[in-house]
Amino acid sequence: MAPLPDGFSYAEWNATYNGLSFGIAAMGSATSFFWLQLPNVTKNYRTALTITGIVTLIATYHCIRIFNSWSEAFTVSSKDGGDYTVQLTGSPFNDGYRYVDWLLTVPLLLIELILVMKLPQAETVSLSTKLGLASTLMVALGYPGEIQEDLSVRWFWWCLSMIPFCYVVFTLTVGLAEATSKQPSSAAASLASAARYLTVFSWLTYPFVYMVKSVGLAGPAATMYEQVSYSLADVLAKAVFGVLIWAPATEKSVYSDALLGWSMPSQL
């Protein structure tokens, strides 16, 4: 991993500190919410909602590890009531936790979206396998460039990782359009569509954040923007996305219960 640059201001250090802290709070509370909602959906959608909670639980753990690593990499002090000064301790800041998190959670994010759409089993297995492998390859190809300071090397790995990235985005926007239109109610279709497009929107932020160090920003400012942006993108792609998985699952459960109640004979 590349060493942290020296010369962080207190504002830059504090913005990153608070961004990482926000990630912990958002992911942790989302995990509790999703698992508490399990009894409110039918059995068909509990697997998807369980996976949603697993995704945010894994993210919570890695947010804590990144937060602790950031805290250990600096000392913050104020002498004689003056302004706070930030100094490196010499301990490494291990941002690799974020890529380990993505290797685990990104395929699961796509699988939970496929599961909640309730496609035929063969199509579910096929799409889950293809999208899971493509997303894993995308993350794996991105990491070698992330830990490099050489801009040409960063661009090389960025271009490679964009190949599976574009495949996944194309599948979400075009390949699943027909399946979305076949949802059992207009509300469920609308929610499933929102989940697809939120995934695409949140994913589009990652390549741009990855390029922060390649477009003229450097030093502490680049590190701050990178860490805060990744934290916000993760909350959007996991916690907020999870809400859009829970919502159609709940809507379809209500629809299924209504059909079941309509089809059951009245009891005298």
Side-chain angles (χ1 to χ4, degrees), residues 33-259:
F33 173 78
F34 297 140
W35 285 350
L36 287 171
Q37 289 297 311
L38 282 172
N40 297 330
V41 300
T42 60
K43 188 180 296 184
N44 291 336
Y45 303 108
R46 286 177 188 166
T47 299
L49 200 57
T50 299
I51 292 175
T52 305
I54 291 173
V55 165
T56 50
L57 178 64
I58 293 171
T60 302
Y61 168 77
H62 286 110
C63 284
I64 292 171
R65 297 303 299 267
I66 296 169
F67 177 85
N68 289 341
S69 183
W70 180 261
S71 299
E72 292 165 3
F74 298 91
T75 56
V76 181
S77 60
S78 173
K79 186 176 181 180
D80 300 327
D83 293 337
Y84 286 104
T85 59
V86 180
Q87 294 180 320
L88 295 173
T89 63
S91 297
F93 172 56
N94 188 358
D95 197 27
Y97 290 125
R98 199 179 296 280
Y99 274 80
V100 173
D101 175 80
W102 290 341
L103 278 173
L104 295 171
T105 59
V106 172
L108 289 175
L109 284 169
L110 296 172
I111 290 170
E112 68 188 70
L113 176 60
I114 300 301
L115 287 175
V116 83
M117 296 187 77
K118 203 61 181 172
L119 302 171
Q121 184 175 357
E123 190 176 357
T124 297
V125 172
S126 176
L127 278 172
S128 297
T129 302
K130 291 176 182 177
L131 293 178
L133 290 175
S135 60
T136 300
L137 182 62
M138 175 191 70
V139 175
L141 289 173
Y143 183 66
E146 185 71 70
I147 60 176
Q148 295 291 328
E149 292 296 319
D150 187 323
L151 296 185
S152 62
V153 176
R154 288 180 66 86
W155 278 110
F156 171 76
W157 288 107
W158 182 88
C159 291
L160 287 182
S161 66
M162 287 301 292
I163 297 172
F165 173 88
C166 290
Y167 167 75
V168 173
V169 169
F170 176 81
T171 302
L172 290 175
T173 53
V174 178
L176 291 178
E178 184 179 354
T180 302
S181 65
K182 294 180 179 178
Q183 297 301 301
S185 69
S186 59
S190 177
L191 290 166
S193 180
R196 286 168 51 226
Y197 286 109
L198 176 66
T199 304
V200 173
F201 173 78
S202 62
W203 276 37
L204 288 173
T205 63
Y206 290 98
F208 290 104
V209 177
Y210 188 97
M211 292 188 295
V212 160
K213 295 179 180 178
S214 305
V215 293
L217 284 175
T223 300
M224 177 197 69
Y225 285 122
E226 183 180 61
Q227 293 303 318
V228 172
S229 298
Y230 275 148
S231 295
L232 294 176
D234 277 351
V235 170
L236 187 64
K238 295 169 187 174
V240 178
F241 173 78
V243 172
L244 291 180
I245 291 297
W246 160 78
T250 303
E251 171 66 23
K252 290 196 215 179
S253 297
V254 171
Y255 182 83
S256 297
D257 289 344
L259 286 180

